[in-house]
């Protein structure tokens, strides 16, 4: 990588929003791979106060070759007296042959505390969603953290997501705006409890984006959308930043629990850090080969949060999950409108259930979320319905961790799923221990899926299928034993595009099923003497 560094006076149109105050003169600066020297502009005239230095712009340029590091840090020095940093960047987009990735480059910022993995220097990330941003003590562009602009060596971080064969030429302009620092930003974090109904089923969307990453909805719009969808809780999961955490407080209420979180967007897949401490940042600058995920998974779990691989079969660059599931607390098997990658995710998750039960290990619960960014994506479609002791952070996370949950396309879908045998009963996420050959009646009561198809699946695959009537409500009962089924789970599907129900044991060129309407976690059947 070759870098050039330039410095110039900022254009008047790029001056800050805050009134400038007195500050010391700008001294020498060492930036990037070169040195830029600027003399102070203030002059003493009698007893007058020193003049405020003029705003200055540092320009960093360079070219990245194919095979460049995942993250490139561009250092620059900030002198005393700077009240605000204003950053803009651009890069070239040369024509590439069909099937060849073109240039794509993300951007973020670290302050004088350094760029160490998991360190304290993180000040924001906007990915490729913004071409400019500002940071000051009082305020910052969404995705970035307000706070002191202290003197020292700061770093722009570039994330060359894709580099064309011709390379990627970039230019970053960092404008130093001098003056009084302004007031201190006071975050308003949401409370950890809302008005619940005691032990009950609560609906929530655990994967949502706002303008604080690559969404186009303001947090207020997301909160309003969650209420309109009939949700009881949501989790804030903007990409690679905690900046939204401090704005949710006024938007929560007795009717809506809002939990801080993050979508940790690595180069080997994305994962949801659910239930973070307010303001907590989780680093994303690693791949599977770096063996760093366990460290950051522990960071989340130490505070009672959950680690959830997101859309593990998403075909986009860097979205497919490559870390394995040893550190996961649950897995997102349904992400947004139902597509073939969700089908793959459910199949992969289902295959793990039998292996976990055979080995005597805990099984991995499934969750579903909308991953909504902007209209027309629908908040709460799908979402997860969790049995929790109350509507609080800890209770909701405990229910998700235990798998006491099912997935729904909307609040219009309702169901109850139980297994009864030998005088005992178990529900979703629970275990029913019965004699091996004792009859077990599996029952599903469902509504809200007109002409839908109910499927019961075990470790052998689908063993029962039944149609729902036109009004979408019905009860399906099926009998098995613990010797025949290690677990039972249920799916409710819409008809296929041609109006047919599909067949779970058929093969052919098309998907055998229509879109998912509801999906349960399993009820475990354990044979006992």
């Amino acid at each position: 990588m070759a870098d050039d560094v330039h410095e110039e006076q900022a254009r008047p149109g790029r001056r800050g929003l805050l009134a400038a105050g007195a500050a010391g003169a700008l001294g020498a600066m060492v930036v990037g791979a070169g040195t830029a020297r600027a003399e102070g502009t203030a002059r003493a005239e009698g007893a007058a106060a020193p003049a405020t230095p003029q705003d200055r712009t540092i320009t960093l340029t360079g070219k990245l070759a194919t095979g460049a590091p995942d993250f490139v840090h561009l250092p620059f020095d900030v002198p005393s007296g700077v009240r605000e940093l204003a950053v803009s960047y651009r890069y070239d987009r040369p024509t590439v042959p069909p099937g060849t990735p073109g240039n794509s480059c993300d951007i973020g910022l670290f302050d004088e505390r350094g760029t160490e993995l998991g360190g304290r220097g993180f000040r924001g990330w906007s990915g490729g969603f913004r071409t400019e941003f500002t940071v000051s003590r009082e305020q910052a562009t969404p995705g970035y953290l307000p706070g002191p602009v202290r003197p020292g060596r700061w770093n722009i971080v570039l994330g060359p997501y894709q580099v064309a064969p011709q390379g990627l030429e970039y230019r970053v302009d960092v404008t130093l705006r001098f003056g009084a620092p302004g007031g201190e930003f006071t975050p308003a974090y949401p409370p950890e409890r809302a008005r619940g109904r005691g032990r009950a089923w609560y609906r929530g969307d655990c994967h949502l984006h706002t303008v604080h990453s690559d969404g186009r909805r303001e947090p207020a719009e997301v909160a309003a959308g969650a209420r309109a969808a009939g949700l009881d809780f949501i989790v804030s999961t903007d990409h690679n930043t905690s900046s939204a955490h401090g704005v949710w407080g006024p938007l929560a209420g007795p009717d809506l629990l809002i939990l801080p979180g993050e979508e940790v967007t690595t180069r080997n897949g994305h994962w949801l850090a659910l239930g973070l401490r307010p303001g907590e940042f989780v680093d994303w600058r690693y791949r599977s080969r770096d063996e760093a995920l366990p460290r950051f998974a522990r960071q989340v779990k130490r505070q009672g949060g959950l680690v959830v691989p997101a859309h593990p079969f998403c075909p986009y660059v860097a979205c497919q999950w490559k870390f394995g599931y040893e550190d996961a607390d649950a897995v997102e098997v349904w992400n947004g409108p139902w597509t073939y990658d969700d089908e793959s995710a459910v199949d992969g998750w289902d295959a793990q259930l039998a292996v976990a039960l055979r080995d005597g290990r805990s099984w991995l619960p499934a969750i579903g979320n909308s991953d909504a960014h902007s209209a027309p994506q629908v908040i709460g479609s799908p979402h997860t319905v969790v049995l929790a002791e109350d509507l609080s952070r800890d209770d909701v996370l405990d229910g998700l961790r235990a798998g006491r949950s099912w997935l729904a396309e909307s609040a219009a879908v309702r169901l109850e799923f139980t297994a009864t045998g030998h005088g005992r009963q178990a529900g979703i996420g629970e275990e029913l221990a019965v004699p091996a050959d004792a009859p077990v009646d599996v029952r599903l009561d469902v509504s809200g899926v007109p002409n839908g198809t109910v499927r019961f699946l075990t470790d052998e695959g689908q063993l029962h299928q039944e149609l729902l009537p036109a009004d979408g409500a019905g009860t399906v009962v099926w009998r098995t034993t613990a010797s025949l089924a290690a677990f039972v789970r249920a799916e409710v599907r819409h008809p296929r595009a041609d109006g047919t129900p599909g067949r779970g044991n058929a093969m052919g060129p098309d998907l055998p099923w229509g879109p998912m309407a509801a999906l349960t976690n399993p009820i475990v059947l354990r044979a006992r003497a």
Side-chain angles (χ1 to χ4, degrees):
M1 179 186 71
D3 294 306
D4 296 316
V5 183
H6 312 284
E7 186 172 318
E8 59 190 28
Q9 287 190 5
R11 294 184 295 276
R14 300 185 63 192
R15 292 190 177 274
L17 301 175
L18 304 177
L26 177 65
M29 292 183 292
V30 180
V31 187
T35 301
R37 183 175 298 274
E39 300 298 332
T41 58
R43 294 191 303 271
E45 297 182 3
T52 301
Q54 292 181 336
D55 297 347
R56 302 294 178 90
T57 294
I58 302 164
T59 298
L60 304 101
T61 61
K63 183 172 183 177
L64 304 177
T66 302
D70 289 345
F71 301 101
V72 177
H73 298 93
L74 309 177
F76 63 96
D77 283 355
V78 174
S80 297
V82 174
R83 65 173 175 84
E84 183 179 69
L85 300 179
V87 178
S88 65
Y89 85 117
R90 62 179 185 265
Y91 56 90
D92 66 332
R93 293 176 171 84
T95 302
V96 296
T100 301
N103 283 340
S104 178
C105 188
D106 297 343
I107 194 168
L109 181 68
F110 286 78
D111 64 21
E112 85 291 344
R113 291 172 292 182
T115 62
E116 179 185 3
L117 189 67
R120 301 174 58 211
F122 174 75
R123 289 300 292 269
W125 179 257
S126 50
F129 191 63
R130 303 183 188 279
T131 58
E132 57 185 35
F133 59 86
T134 61
V135 172
S136 70
R137 183 171 183 257
E138 191 171 35
Q139 59 188 8
T141 300
Y144 293 82
L145 305 180
V149 182
R150 291 179 287 260
R153 176 150 294 184
W154 290 51
N155 277 265
I156 296 293
V157 56
L158 296 181
Y161 215 67
Q162 298 176 155
V163 179
Q166 301 95 317
L168 184 151
E169 295 187 8
Y170 64 84
R171 171 179 171 138
V172 181
D173 293 316
V174 182
T175 298
L176 309 175
R177 294 173 175 163
F178 291 83
E184 184 176 356
F185 173 77
T186 302
Y189 297 128
E192 294 189 357
R193 180 178 293 275
R195 184 181 60 235
R197 304 181 297 276
R199 182 177 172 85
W201 292 94
Y202 296 98
R203 296 177 182 264
D205 193 339
C206 300
H207 190 168
L208 290 163
H209 296 278
T210 72
V211 294
H212 285 259
S213 59
D214 58 345
R216 296 192 180 278
R217 290 184 173 106
E218 295 287 343
E221 296 176 279
V222 172
R227 289 181 165 97
L231 302 182
D232 300 296
F233 68 93
I234 60 174
V235 185
S236 166
T237 56
D238 280 305
H239 293 280
N240 297 347
T241 184
S242 57
S243 67
H245 293 183
V247 305
W248 286 111
L251 303 174
D255 63 330
L256 184 65
L257 175 69
I258 301 178
L259 303 181
E262 179 182 331
E263 182 172 6
V264 185
T265 307
T266 81
R267 292 301 180 85
N268 282 162
H270 301 182
W271 59 279
L272 305 174
L274 304 182
L276 292 174
R277 286 192 297 260
E280 184 90 1
F281 154 68
V282 181
D283 214 323
W284 70 95
R285 293 171 295 161
Y286 45 86
R287 295 195 189 202
S288 176
R289 65 192 180 203
D290 300 319
E291 299 182 352
L293 177 63
R295 168 187 171 186
F296 294 103
R298 288 193 298 271
Q299 174 190 350
V300 174
K301 296 181 183 202
R302 277 195 300 266
Q303 52 196 280
L306 304 183
V307 172
V308 182
H311 44 65
F313 288 85
C314 174
Y316 299 147
V317 173
C319 282
Q320 294 179 341
W321 186 248
K322 307 294 186 184
F323 290 93
Y325 295 91
E326 294 83 1
D327 298 295
D329 296 300
V331 59
E332 184 185 75
V333 302
W334 185 358
N335 177 277
W338 186 262
T339 54
Y340 79 91
D341 61 304
D342 300 304
E343 202 77 57
S344 298
V346 169
D347 287 344
W349 164 72
D350 179 89
Q352 294 183 59
L353 291 176
V355 175
L357 293 173
R358 178 199 69 197
D359 295 343
R361 295 183 287 108
S362 59
W363 51 272
L364 197 63
I367 68 171
N369 303 300
S370 74
D371 195 6
H373 287 65
S374 56
Q377 296 169 341
V378 180
I379 293 168
S381 182
H383 62 263
T384 302
V385 191
V386 58
L387 180 61
E389 297 301 318
D390 209 342
L391 188 53
S392 71
R393 171 192 181 272
D394 291 346
D395 290 330
V396 166
L397 295 179
D398 284 347
L400 293 172
R401 187 183 293 109
R404 299 192 302 266
S405 59
W406 58 278
L407 288 53
E409 66 173 352
S410 75
V413 180
R414 299 180 178 275
L415 66 75
E416 293 182 17
F417 185 50
T418 59
T420 305
H422 203 64
R424 302 181 181 185
Q425 186 176 88
I428 299 170
E430 297 177 341
E431 179 180 286
L432 181 64
V434 294
D437 294 325
V440 175
D441 289 326
V442 179
R443 176 181 174 128
L444 179 75
D445 296 289
V446 62
S447 63
V449 191
N451 300 306
T453 301
V454 173
R455 307 175 67 199
F456 287 156
L457 300 101
T458 76
D459 51 320
E460 285 190 278
Q462 177 180 308
L463 292 183
H464 187 70
Q465 172 181 331
E466 197 165 319
L467 298 181
L468 293 173
D471 65 4
T475 297
V476 179
V477 179
W478 172 69
R479 176 164 287 185
T480 187
T481 65
S483 63
L484 295 174
F487 66 84
V488 184
R489 65 179 185 85
E491 293 182 5
V492 186
R493 301 274 190 151
H494 287 290
R496 300 198 306 175
D498 62 4
T500 62
R503 293 176 57 197
N505 294 320
M507 294 189 66
D510 300 320
L511 290 176
W513 290 106
M516 190 77 73
L519 164 73
T520 75
N521 275 297
I523 300 173
V524 175
L525 304 182
R526 183 169 63 84
R528 64 176 178 81

